């Protein structure tokens, strides 16, 4: 194998090692004293090869942190100016995140003198100057070329009054010295740090971001980069009196940026041949990527204070400890923000009226709308040779003829009667299209009661339909596809309105159906409110015949758009420090007497608010009374009153504010009502209890304050509204309305923001720590209280109308989901998933069931089922349930039952009725039923 191949192979092997094996390797390397070749030390190597050797584009000059591997991205092609606009935007966002993490412990608003090291072409000088308007910045160039390029960039931005680029000696001292990958631009790092010791004032700050090797490595190509050792860094800091106060490691993220599986093809595309200097640099960075991903190298973002009078030995020990245990870049709060976005599908909708496949002839059940979309769709089904049954909304169940029925949206028995009638006629449908969400009224003139009734009728009908489909059940070889359809309930972009706002809760119900009952293959489709009935029906008919897994689709002007959860990265990394509440304004917090509301209220007082109205339905507890007293002691005027879901209550609240308090300038709607339960146990009435606080309260506030000059209108919910969860159907429906209302307001030029949060955890909350330990097994963390407020300040900035704040470890989260396929919503993160599954596991089980002796197949299914039960109940591999034990005895509740049902369906494609898991049968009996179903 040639040297290049050896370098790549070693990098890949290092990346695959466990932390324990990497530690042993480091010890072995140290013992062998592998150092740089003689005559090629860091101080005597001469001109270094670095990224500049292949750099031609204006896109970037430093490495970048990628939170996930971007499969179609090549850092090499980007460096040559061949990145697409979306890839350029990805790079810009990554560098913005990098700067934010680098300067997160520096108060940029306070001004002072800043010294920039290794200025390159001046990008970092300009970026800092634009975010620190009170700072005076001096950049020290390390070459005549840097001097000319950096000065030109500063002049082009009109910053020459505040930014000066020099190449000679420095004058005076500086408050902050900073550099991003500056160490590779200097010939003598020890001399550089000696100069910093003189240039930075006592108690001044040093901010550096650079690559460090954890051990001395001599690898092909890597020596050309002349990377500093971490131990060397400790010595330089000690010599100059700097103590590390903050350290972040972006090794994994920068390693993902350097992920280069197509490097050879890209080198060939560029026409570069082996022996070319640029090829050597590219190979070196390929090797570096493997070292970063494997933990043998670190990309550290370090903040250090000048404390020359401290004890050198103790300071060195603290520096070595902090540098060896940095905080992971992926654990920083700015990485927790996500936003759902609609993306164009790869292909437009076909003009053909629909597929002529065998599935077109199977019965189709349409819960038809009054607008005529269902009737037009039924004609297209008939043209394709299929049979259609239409179901209208009415006062009670009635069968008009063999293909036409009427049911009441409020009576679950009507849906059960419909199912029985269809079974009697032999019309069990393969596709069910629920179009009642198309008929929702325009909400503008509706009061709270009328709005809630309209939304509940639409959601209740979908709920009872789902229950009837589940009661009918499905065995092996049968399938039902449920299509939930709305019109104008989703926003494609910021310019679009939401006339179908009352259909938005139906998307929450659809999410609950998809999460709890994947066997129903629930698809959600939003039609174009500007299209005609015939065009809507045609596009829907084409969508019904579409192949693929997309389950959330928006149809606009003949094109499909699909929903993806994305990281939200386009936000100002210094904007949070500028957010302040006003002392001459009133702010209203619903749910303000609960735990979350009180925490938010206290934070608002700390941020400058002096007039708060805290609303809650329940009597204040001792805790809330004490918290309110503490806020009043800090000079805040606190009023606690009734709720807002009833018109008369809000009339009283608003009248009191207008008479006795400053103008109302902000709303935080955090009211909630918990009534969890799986879908088969839900009712319209239970939906209504949750709707009253979240939906009714939000709409009432919107109506009252539609013309008020508010600074913000923030709607708060939990992360399950974005991620889904079992037993949360009513919550998902209500929060989907909040998401829709935020967009509805923004489309009218009003402030509106819906944020979904992971659970908050106080430092001394023992119960929260226990909950987090369980959640982390599924890849979801809790939001520490102090960091929650850091992010909350940013949520008031320029962010989308819907955002989620969730610490998620995607490989663990996706690995915990049943089945091998990642849900389309999360497909951006599928590259990070490493599921511990063997592709042939199901095939082997089926071979033993269908091809071996009966007793062998039964034992195999029992062992598989015992493992799944242990997984759901978190019993551990050594605590498998006994065959004679019942799931009820083992502690299985309805939510766990849903999870077990999902695992069975995803892994074996067998639908086990939930009731069968909950009725008290033994593990052995259930496994026997599974065995028979698989045969």
């Amino acid at each position: 194998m040639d040297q290049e191949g050896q370098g790549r192979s070693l990098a890949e092997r290092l990346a695959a090692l466990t932390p324990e094996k990497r530690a042993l390797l480091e010890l072995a390397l140290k013992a062998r004293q592998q150092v740089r070749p003689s005559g090629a030390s860091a101080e005597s190597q001469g001109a270094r090869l670095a990224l500049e050797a292949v750099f031609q584009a204006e896109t970037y000059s430093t490495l970048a942190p990628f939170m996930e591997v971007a499969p179609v991205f090549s850092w090499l092609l980007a460096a040559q100016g061949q990145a697409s606009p979306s890839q350029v935007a990805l790079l810009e966002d990554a560098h913005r995140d990098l700067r934010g993490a680098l300067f997160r412990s520096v108060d940029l608003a306070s001004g002072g003198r800043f010294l920039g090291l290794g200025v390159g072409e001046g990008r970092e000088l300009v970026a800092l100057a634009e975010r620190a308007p009170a700072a005076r910045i001096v950049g020290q160039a390390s070459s005549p070329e840097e001097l000319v390029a950096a000065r030109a960039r500063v002049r082009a931005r009109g910053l020459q009054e505040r930014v000066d680029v020099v190449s000679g000696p420095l004058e005076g001292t500086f408050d902050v010295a900073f550099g991003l990958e500056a160490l590779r631009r200097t010939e003598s790092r020890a001399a550089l740090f000696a100069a910093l010791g003189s240039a930075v004032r006592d108690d001044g700050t040093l901010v550096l971001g650079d690559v460090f090797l954890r051990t001395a490595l001599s690898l092909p190509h890597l020596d050309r980069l002349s990377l500093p050792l971490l131990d060397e860094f400790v010595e330089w800091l000690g010599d100059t009196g700097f103590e590390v106060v903050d350290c972040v490691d972006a090794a994994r993220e920068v390693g993902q940026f350097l992920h280069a599986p197509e490097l050879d093809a890209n080198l060939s595309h560029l026409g570069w041949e082996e022996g070319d200097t640029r090829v050597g640099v590219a190979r070196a960075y390929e090797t570096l990527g493997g070292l970063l991903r494997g933990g043998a190298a670190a990309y550290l973002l370090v903040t250090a204070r000048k404390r020359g009078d401290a004890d050198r030995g103790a300071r060195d020990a603290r520096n070595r400890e902090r540098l060896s245990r940095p905080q992971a870049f992926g654990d920083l709060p700015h990485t927790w923000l996500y936003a759902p976005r609609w993306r164009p599908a790869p292909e437009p909708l076909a003009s053909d009226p629909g597929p002529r496949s065998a599935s077109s002839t199977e019965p189709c059940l349409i819960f038809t709308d009054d607008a005529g979309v269902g009737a037009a769709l039924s004609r297209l089904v008939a043209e394709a040779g299929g049979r259609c049954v239409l179901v209208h909304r009415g006062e009670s169940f009635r069968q008009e003829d063999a293909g036409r029925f009427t049911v009441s949206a409020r009576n679950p028995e009507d849906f059960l009667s419909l199912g029985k009638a269809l079974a009697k006629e032999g019309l069990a449908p393969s596709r069910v299209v629920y179009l009642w969400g198309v008929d929702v009224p325009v909400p503008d003139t509706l009061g709270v009661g009328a709005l809630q009734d309209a939304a509940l009728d639409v959601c209740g009908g979908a709920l009872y339909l789902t229950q009837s489909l589940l009661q009918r059940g499905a065995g092996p070889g049968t399938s039902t596809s449920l299509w939930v359809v709305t019109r104008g309930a989703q926003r494609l972009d910021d310019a679009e309105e939401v006339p179908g706002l009352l259909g938005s809760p139906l998307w929450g119900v659809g999410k609950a159906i998809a999460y709890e009952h994947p066997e129903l293959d629930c698809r959600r489709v939003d039609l174009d409110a500007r299209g005609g009935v015939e065009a809507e029906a045609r596009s829907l008919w084409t969508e019904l015949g579409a192949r693929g897994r997309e389950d959330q689709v928006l149809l606009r002007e003949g094109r499909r758009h699909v929903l993806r959860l994305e990281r939200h990265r386009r936000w100002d990394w210094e904007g949070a420090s500028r957010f302040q509440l006003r002392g001459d304004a009133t702010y209203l917090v619903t749910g303000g007497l609960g735990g979350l509301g009180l925490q938010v209220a206290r934070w608002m007082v700390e941020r400058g608010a002096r007039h708060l109205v805290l609303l809650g339905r329940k009597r204040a507890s001792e805790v809330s009374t004490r918290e309110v007293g503490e806020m009043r002691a800090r000079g805040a005027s606190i009023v606690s009153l009734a709720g807002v879901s009833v018109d008369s209550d809000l009339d009283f609240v608003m009248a009191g504010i207008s008479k006795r308090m400053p103008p109302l300038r902000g709303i935080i709607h955090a009211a909630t009502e918990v009534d969890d339960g799986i879908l088969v146990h839900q009712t319209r009435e239970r939906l209504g209890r949750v709707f009253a606080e979240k939906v009714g309260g939000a709409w009432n506030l919107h109506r009252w304050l539609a013309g008020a000059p508010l600074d913000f209108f923030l709607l708060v919910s939990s992360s399950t509204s974005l991620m889904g969860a079992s037993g949360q159907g009513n919550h998902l429906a209500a929060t989907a309305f909040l998401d829709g209302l935020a967009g509805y307001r923004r489309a009218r030029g009003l402030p509106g923001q819906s944020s979904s949060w992971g659970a908050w955890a106080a430092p001394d909350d023992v119960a929260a720590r226990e909950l987090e330990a369980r959640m982390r097994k599924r890849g979801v963390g809790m939001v520490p209280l102090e960091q929650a407020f850091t992010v909350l300040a940013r949520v008031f900035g320029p962010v989308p109308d819907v955002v989620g704040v969730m610490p998620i470890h995607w490989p663990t989260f996706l690995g915990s989901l049943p089945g091998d396929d990642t849900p389309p919503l999360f497909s951006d993160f599928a590259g990070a998933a490493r599921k511990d599954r063997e592709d042939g596991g199901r095939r082997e089980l089926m071979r033993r069931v269908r091809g071996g002796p009966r007793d062998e197949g039964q034992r195999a299914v029992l062992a598989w089922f015992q493992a799944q039960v242990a997984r759901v109940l978190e019993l551990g591999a050594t605590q498998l349930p006994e065959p004679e034990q019942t799931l009820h005895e083992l502690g299985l509740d309805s939510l766990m039952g849903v999870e077990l049902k999902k695992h069975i369906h995803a892994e074996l494609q067998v639908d086990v009725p939930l009731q069968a898991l909950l009725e008290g049968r033994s593990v052995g009996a259930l496994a026997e039923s599974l065995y028979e179903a698989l045969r």
Side-chain angles (χ1 to χ4, degrees), residues 847-859 931 935:
R847 184 194 67 78
R848 297 177 68 180
V849 168
R850 295 177 178 174
R854 181 181 180 88
D855 59 344
E856 180 182 340
Q858 289 173 323
R859 286 196 299 272
Y931 172 79
R935 285 180 61 83

Side-chain angles (χ1 to χ4, degrees), residues 119-121 141-151:
V119 298
E121 296 184 357
S142 58
S143 70
E145 293 80 11
E146 280 191 1
L147 184 69
V148 172
R151 283 180 173 175

Side-chain angles (χ1 to χ4, degrees), residues 294-512:
Y299 191 101
L300 298 184
L301 307 174
V302 179
T303 303
R305 296 275 190 266
K306 178 75 173 300
R307 293 171 181 168
D309 57 346
D311 176 75
R312 168 70 185 271
R315 186 174 64 245
D316 283 358
R318 290 193 294 269
N319 284 346
R320 186 170 285 104
E321 172 69 16
R322 288 165 183 162
L323 292 173
S324 65
R325 299 180 181 276
Q327 183 175 7
F329 186 87
D331 290 338
L332 297 179
H334 80 274
T335 67
W336 299 344
L337 265 72
Y338 299 86
R341 298 183 191 275
W342 291 104
R343 296 181 188 169
E347 73 287 340
L349 281 175
S351 58
D352 184 77
R356 300 299 197 271
S357 63
S359 62
S360 301
T361 63
E362 296 173 355
C364 182
L365 179 63
I366 300 177
F367 285 73
T368 191
D369 59 306
D370 295 335
V373 176
L377 178 62
S378 68
R379 291 192 293 271
L380 293 172
V381 174
E383 290 174 8
R387 183 172 181 182
C388 226
V389 176
L390 298 180
V391 181
H392 296 268
R393 184 160 48 177
E395 297 299 322
S396 60
F397 173 76
R398 188 169 67 253
Q399 182 172 358
E400 307 291 344
D401 52 48
R404 191 178 301 271
F405 295 83
T406 298
V407 298
S408 169
R410 303 185 179 188
N411 188 352
E413 295 300 325
D414 284 8
F415 291 83
L416 297 177
S417 298
L418 172 65
K420 293 175 181 177
L422 293 175
K424 183 178 179 180
E425 298 286 340
L427 293 175
S430 63
R431 285 175 298 189
V432 180
V433 184
Y434 185 78
L435 284 164
W436 288 2
V438 172
D439 279 336
V440 295
V442 176
D444 296 9
T445 59
L446 296 180
V448 172
L451 179 131
Q452 287 187 187
D453 279 345
L456 285 170
D457 281 347
V458 172
C459 293
L463 172 65
Y464 294 145
L465 167 61
T466 300
Q467 291 172 348
S468 70
L469 292 174
L470 293 172
Q471 187 172 80
R472 187 195 71 177
T478 67
S479 63
T480 298
S481 180
L482 173 60
W483 297 73
V484 175
V485 184
T486 56
R487 176 201 280 155
Q490 301 292 316
R491 280 212 310 170
L492 174 61
D493 51 41
D494 291 341
E496 193 172 51
E497 295 192 358
V498 194
L501 173 63
L502 292 186
S504 58
L506 193 54
W507 280 66
V509 173
K511 180 172 289 186

Side-chain angles (χ1 to χ4, degrees), residues 147-183:
L147 184 69
V148 172
R151 283 180 173 175
R153 186 176 294 274
V154 169
R155 284 196 303 271
R157 296 296 183 94
L159 295 169
Q160 59 269 33
E161 295 298 322
R162 292 196 296 113
V163 181
D164 188 18
V165 185
V166 302
S167 60
L170 300 170
E171 296 182 0
T173 58
F174 296 85
D175 301 291
V176 178
F178 69 95
L180 191 57
E181 295 180 33
L183 298 183

